[in-house]
Amino acid sequence: MVFFRGVSAISRIQSRVVQQSSLCNSVRWLQMQSSSELDLKSHLQEIIPEQQERLKKLRSEHGNVPVGKITVDMVLGGMRGMTGLLWETSLLDAEEGIRFRGLSIPECQKVLPAAQPGGEPLPEGLLWLLLTGKVPNKEQVDALSKELADRAAVPDYVYKAIDALPSTAHPMAQFASGVMALQVQSEFQKAYEEGVVHKSKFWEPTFEDALNLIARVPVVASYVYRRMYKDGSIIPLDDSLDYGANFSHMLGFDSPQMKELMRLYVTIHSDHEGGNVSAHAGHLVGSALSDPYLSFAAALNGLAGPLHGLANQEVLLWIKSVVEECGENISKEQLKEYVWKTLNSGKVVPGYGHGVLRKTDPRYVCQREFALKHLPNDPLFQLVSKLYEVVPPILTELGKVKNPWPNVDAHSGVLLNYYGLTEARYYTVLFGVSRSIGICSQLIWDRALGLPLERPKSVNMDWLDNFIRLNR
């Protein structure tokens, strides 16, 4: 807790009051919403006009209200901390973590429909929540599961595009190539080129593309996995299964616990507000009216970077390097030495720290709870638990880290490894499949709200020098 001493107690209290008030209003609003309608698109057709008017009123009545202050540090530091994007589907708080349409991860686990009583939430339920702001019932989620299965057919030329690459190519390169090949069937591109849809209705072909894309990416991703690691033996989709279970099945993992893990994994990785690299890349490219396939492919290429989604691959490899050098029964003192060795070599401890969060990532916590329930005696999980005790104090002592706590990547690889998905190079593809839900949901709303082309101003160092001199 040393890390938090520098944080103003007053600001924390004010933040809590605002968040609690917002949460109460959000949950109360959600509880008021109910409908027996099973079709997702019809819900959006009701909601979108209200939100269009809301945005119009915000802009006309409060467009000149300043939101924040830009500093030279922000300009030079990758725009970190700037408030400059509208992202309706989720909001990330530094102290509290992610909220999907006002609901925290534990709340989503409680209220979203599950495949079995007390089980993990179904990703389809989260998709419904992100798009509508409403918690769906089980019948609505089952209908959406069936719709996604009906949309999941992948043309042969997509597989041929992937096959044109060496099987040794990184799985993210193969996955992104498959997504680009899917673009041939874009409904938005066709409607735009033919000029048959008014811009106020751009969201409708975007919706079709987005749901097709979400439905098809598990098929493409599993093809990449089976091509690389299972001699190309393909497992077809089973339309009796839900989204997460089907993805697990097509990968070749049919144990009930692995299907539950995949449901949890896809749900918690789906969205993390708009400023992270993959989400921002998807939004940026989409702002040019690029279709969802082009936008999501851009997002995947950002996700493939080692400072973003590739980190979950690096975490497991690093943990295995600890085991190789020190054994599975490593003591905390030995672990401290290994952590210092990593840091002193100029490297980071993968899976620790976050660009926004200033506490343990709630996505880490729910994965830890899953492990405590299903694999408490797994040696790698026990090592991850020791790291949770050892690493934060060391990073705090180092004094250079704003957040010494574990993020989502610190845990996911160990769970996947336990159930037999041991190929760490592939892990970022799983992340990409999950992220399709959040990025595509927001892209539909980008079109519905008519958000403009993103075009921030850039400056050079001469401009900054002059600006600083004139404003001293």
Side-chain angles (χ1 to χ4, degrees):
M1 299 305 292
V2 173
F3 174 77
F4 296 108
R5 290 175 184 167
V7 181
S8 164
I10 294 176
S11 66
R12 287 204 306 268
I13 293 170
Q14 290 175 332
S15 176
R16 265 321 141 273
V17 169
V18 171
Q19 289 161 7
Q20 288 172 0
S21 174
S22 175
L23 172 61
C24 288
N25 290 336
S26 176
V27 173
R28 192 179 304 115
W29 184 80
L30 286 165
Q31 289 172 341
M32 289 167 58
Q33 308 302 307
S34 63
S35 173
S36 60
E37 184 66 52
L38 300 183
D39 179 53
L40 177 59
K41 191 172 183 179
S42 67
H43 284 264
L44 285 173
Q45 287 170 332
E46 292 178 11
I47 296 166
I48 283 173
E50 300 170 3
Q51 296 304 306
Q52 289 172 333
E53 285 301 310
R54 181 184 179 191
L55 180 66
K56 184 178 179 181
K57 184 177 180 181
L58 276 171
R59 182 173 284 157
S60 64
E61 296 183 6
H62 308 291
N64 294 324
V65 176
V67 174
K69 181 179 180 182
I70 296 174
T71 66
V72 173
D73 271 342
M74 290 175 173
V75 173
L76 298 177
M79 300 192 289
R80 193 170 297 269
M82 290 184 187
T83 301
L85 288 173
L86 182 65
W87 194 267
E88 285 290 281
T89 51
S90 64
L91 184 67
L92 180 60
D93 177 74
E95 303 293 336
E96 191 175 46
I98 192 68
R99 283 188 177 274
F100 302 119
R101 291 288 190 170
L103 297 180
S104 68
I105 286 176
E107 289 165 343
C108 285
Q109 288 178 294
K110 290 179 181 177
V111 301
L112 290 178
Q116 56 198 35
E120 301 298 341
L122 291 162
E124 300 93 315
L126 185 72
L127 173 58
W128 189 292
L129 174 66
L130 293 182
L131 278 173
T132 69
K134 304 176 184 179
V135 174
N137 59 42
K138 185 62 164 59
E139 291 73 24
Q140 289 168 328
V141 171
D142 288 344
L144 183 53
S145 290
K146 185 178 185 307
E147 180 176 359
L148 291 173
D150 290 342
R151 290 173 177 263
V154 173
D156 286 342
Y157 57 76
V158 174
Y159 302 123
K160 291 177 181 178
I162 296 170
D163 289 342
L165 295 171
S167 61
T168 54
H170 194 281
M172 282 297 284
Q174 298 187 48
F175 184 36
S177 297
V179 169
M180 285 296 296
L182 285 171
Q183 191 271 346
V184 173
Q185 294 188 341
S186 171
E187 294 290 335
F188 179 84
Q189 183 191 44
K190 180 181 177 182
Y192 186 84
E193 289 180 348
E194 294 178 354
V196 297
V197 179
H198 188 271
K199 63 181 181 179
S200 65
K201 297 293 185 180
F202 278 172
W203 73 268
E204 293 186 355
T206 300
F207 176 90
E208 298 302 323
D209 277 354
L211 259 65
N212 287 338
L213 176 58
I214 291 168
R216 293 168 186 174
V217 289
V219 180
V220 175
S222 60
Y223 181 82
V224 171
Y225 179 77
R226 303 294 298 184
R227 176 179 189 248
M228 292 186 69
Y229 304 113
K230 302 298 177 182
D231 299 321
S233 60
I234 308 306
I235 301 173
L237 177 142
D238 181 348
D239 58 13
S240 70
L241 296 175
D242 60 81
Y243 189 85
N246 226 327
F247 188 23
S248 180
H249 166 71
M250 288 186 291
L251 289 169
F253 303 95
D254 281 313
S255 75
Q257 285 188 16
M258 181 59 168
K259 289 177 179 177
E260 275 289 90
L261 174 60
M262 196 60 68
R263 293 172 184 128
L264 175 65
Y265 185 101
V266 173
T267 298
I268 66 174
H269 286 80
S270 62
D271 205 26
H272 215 232
E273 81 167 22
N276 66 77
V277 171
S278 57
H280 188 192
H283 171 80
L284 172 63
V285 174
S287 77
L289 291 186
S290 299
D291 62 63
Y293 299 99
L294 298 175
S295 303
F296 184 61
L300 287 179
N301 290 327
L303 192 68
L307 295 184
H308 191 22
L310 202 69
N312 60 4
Q313 166 185 316
E314 296 188 336
V315 169
L316 185 62
L317 295 177
W318 183 81
I319 289 174
K320 288 187 173 181
S321 74
V322 175
V323 174
E324 288 174 7
E325 185 166 324
C326 306
E328 290 183 344
N329 297 318
I330 183 173
S331 68
K332 290 182 183 178
E333 289 303 315
Q334 288 175 303
L335 197 52
K336 287 179 183 178
E337 292 178 10
Y338 195 90
V339 170
W340 276 114
K341 177 183 174 182
T342 298
L343 295 170
N344 290 334
S345 69
K347 300 176 182 178
V348 299
V349 179
Y352 280 76
H354 193 275
V356 177
L357 279 170
R358 295 297 175 259
K359 61 171 284 185
T360 299
D361 192 333
R363 298 172 299 174
Y364 173 97
V365 174
C366 70
Q367 289 182 99
R368 176 173 171 77
E369 290 171 350
F370 185 95
L372 287 169
K373 180 179 179 180
H374 296 293
L375 48 136
N377 299 318
D378 176 57
L380 289 185
F381 167 60
Q382 292 179 345
L383 177 54
V384 167
S385 296
K386 289 179 184 176
L387 285 168
Y388 192 22
E389 298 178 46
V390 167
V391 174
I394 291 176
L395 295 181
T396 300
E397 181 183 342
L398 196 63
K400 299 178 181 179
V401 181
K402 292 182 179 180
N403 174 18
W405 308 106
N407 59 50
V408 65
D409 297 321
H411 217 306
S412 57
V414 167
L415 299 178
L416 296 166
N417 184 81
Y418 178 81
Y419 289 108
L421 210 168
T422 59
E423 299 85 2
R425 288 185 83 215
Y426 183 79
Y427 287 175
T428 311
V429 176
L430 302 175
F431 201 156
V433 170
S434 307
R435 194 48 63 91
S436 69
I437 291 176
I439 290 174
C440 287
S441 294
Q442 180 58 42
L443 190 55
I444 292 168
W445 277 102
D446 289 349
R447 296 284 196 271
L449 297 174
L451 298 188
L453 176 71
E454 186 178 326
R455 201 343 185 149
K457 178 74 176 84
S458 64
V459 296
N460 57 25
M461 284 194 282
D462 285 343
W463 188 96
L464 286 173
D465 285 337
N466 290 332
F467 178 82
I468 293 165
R469 177 174 52 81
L470 293 172
N471 287 275
R472 280 175 178 165

